[in-house]
């Protein structure tokens, strides 16, 4: 047990418990707060994985901006607690069963078939020996991925206009 | 150094939980949050593989996913607000027709 592994296991437990907390909380505000904690643990995982730039983005954009928007809407609409009596009684057990099947399938695809790709992995590693952080991320973003980056700005503009148009009060 | 497979397993668990959340909850805001959880699980897998393959492309992709998620949240929450205005409810069982 290396210190890294111990830290990983503790953080993973926090992340999973937060996800469960989000699912079972009756109050939507608690769900949002659990989700924020989950996002912060994921930001810490990004730090472990050598991606400090993404960790900061995760905290500012996800845990900050996006979740504040969620909390705003929850409190604005006053829908903290919602009477959740399921119309379809069998939906919950079936959902959990299907979730388990999904997890097993994912596990199978990732782990049962991973042996075949080991040579490709080493070749790929030799090809891309330099991975760094904000600097190399920025270089890649503004060279190889310049067009997607610009398209992203258009997407954000469209989303902004869309949100304004959708929430605008209709004139009677 | 934690093996990549651990991160991928964690990402799979979180993704599954997000999927279950979409299926069992009726509050559309919580369903939306479950979708965010799934996006994050996918991002975690991206970053884990980016490190495993020593390629920064995975991190760039996460950057784009986060941007798209931000746009999606803005529009999605605006839609929820608009639906709440006309139906006075955000229970997905009650929102079963497109016409307001």
């Amino acid at each position: 047990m290396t210190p890294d592994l111990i830290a990983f296991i503790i953080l993973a437990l926090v992340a999973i418990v937060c996800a469960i907390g989000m699912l079972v909380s009756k109050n939507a505000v608690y769900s949002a707060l659990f989700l924020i904690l989950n996002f912060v643990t994921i930001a810490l995982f990004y730090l472990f994985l050598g991606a400090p730039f993404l960790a900061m983005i995760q905290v500012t954009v996800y845990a900050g901006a996006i979740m504040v928007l969620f909390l705003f809407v929850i409190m604005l609409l006053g829908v903290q607690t919602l009477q959740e009596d399921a119309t379809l009684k069998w939906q919950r057990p079936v959902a959990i069963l299907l979730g388990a099947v999904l997890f097993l399938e994912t596990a199978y695809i990732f782990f049962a078939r991973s042996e075949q790709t080991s040579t490709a992995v080493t070749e790929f590693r030799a090809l891309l020996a330099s991975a760094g952080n904000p600097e190399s991320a920025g270089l890649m973003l503004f060279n190889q991925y310049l067009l997607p980056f610009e398209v992203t700005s258009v997407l954000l503009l469209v989303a902004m206009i869309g949100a304004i148009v959708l929430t605008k009060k209709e004139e009677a | 150094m934690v093996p990549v497979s651990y991160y991928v397993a964690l990402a799979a668990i979180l993704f599954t939980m997000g999927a279950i959340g979409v299926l069992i909850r009726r509050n559309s805001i919580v369903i939306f949050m479950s979708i965010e959880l799934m996006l994050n699980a996918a991002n975690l897998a991206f970053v884990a593989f980016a490190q495993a393959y020593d390629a920064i492309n995975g991190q760039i992709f996460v950057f784009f996913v986060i941007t798209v998620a931000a746009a999606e949240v803005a529009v999605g929450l605006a839609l929820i607000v608009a639906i709440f205005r006309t139906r006075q409810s955000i229970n997905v069982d009650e929102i079963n027709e497109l016409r307001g």
Side-chain angles (χ1 to χ4, degrees):
Chain A
M1 290 284 270
T2 61
D4 267 14
L5 192 60
I6 295 168
F8 173 85
I9 290 169
I10 293 171
L11 277 176
L13 284 177
V14 172
I16 292 169
V17 168
C18 286
I20 296 174
M22 191 204 79
L23 290 189
V24 300
S25 290
K26 291 282 172 230
N27 190 326
V29 176
Y30 295 162
S31 290
L33 293 176
F34 273 122
L35 194 58
I36 291 174
L37 196 51
N38 184 285
F39 287 167
V40 172
T41 55
I42 288 179
L44 291 173
F45 284 130
Y46 289 168
L47 281 181
F48 273 117
L49 289 166
F53 177 62
L54 281 179
M56 294 305 121
I57 292 224
Q58 175 84 5
V59 172
T60 51
V61 177
Y62 252 121
I66 292 182
M67 291 318 291
V68 166
L69 205 56
F70 267 106
L71 285 172
F72 255 134
V73 171
I74 293 169
M75 291 173 180
L76 190 74
L77 301 184
V79 287
Q80 283 88 339
T81 49
L82 183 69
Q83 198 62 41
E84 295 206 23
D85 35 330
T87 348
L88 304 172
K89 294 288 176 212
W90 43 266
Q91 191 172 10
R92 190 167 295 230
V94 171
I96 291 167
L97 182 73
L98 287 178
V101 171
L102 176 66
F103 175 69
L104 289 176
E105 275 181 357
T106 325
Y108 171 75
I109 289 166
F110 278 130
F111 298 113
R113 302 175 42 184
S114 59
E115 291 85 15
Q116 306 162 1
T117 52
S118 53
T119 50
V121 172
T122 45
E123 279 174 23
F124 202 71
R125 273 194 185 156
L127 196 68
L128 292 150
S130 63
N133 266 300
E135 196 187 343
S136 51
L139 278 174
M140 197 142 209
L141 200 56
F142 288 104
N143 288 306
Q144 200 178 333
Y145 291 95
L146 184 62
L147 182 65
F149 183 80
E150 297 296 343
V151 173
T152 301
S153 63
V154 178
L155 175 76
L156 286 174
L157 181 69
V158 170
M160 197 163 72
I161 295 170
I164 292 168
V165 169
L166 281 170
T167 47
K168 191 168 64 93
K169 276 231 160 66
E170 279 178 39
E171 281 161 43
Chain B
M1 196 71 208
V2 182
V4 156
S5 54
Y6 289 21
Y7 283 104
V8 176
L10 178 66
I13 292 172
L14 290 178
F15 188 91
T16 311
M17 282 178 165
I20 292 176
V22 169
L23 291 174
I24 66 172
R25 294 303 299 259
R26 301 268 67 84
N27 186 333
S28 48
I29 291 180
V30 179
I31 289 180
F32 210 2
M33 286 196 264
S34 301
I35 295 173
E36 294 305 311
L37 185 64
M38 286 197 274
L39 280 173
N40 261 275
N43 282 350
L44 184 61
F46 264 126
V47 178
F49 280 124
Q51 197 223 25
Y53 290 89
D54 270 339
I56 203 155
N57 305 53
Q59 295 187 17
I60 303 290
F61 211 93
V62 170
F63 173 83
F64 287 121
V65 172
I66 289 177
T67 323
V68 172
E72 174 223 330
V73 165
V75 176
L77 287 176
L79 276 172
I80 290 178
V81 170
I83 290 170
F84 184 79
R85 273 205 192 127
T86 50
R87 309 288 304 233
Q88 297 301 315
S89 168
I90 54 163
N91 188 326
V92 284
D93 281 344
E94 288 166 28
I95 309 163
N96 50 10
E97 48 189 39
L98 284 173
R99 229 180 127 262

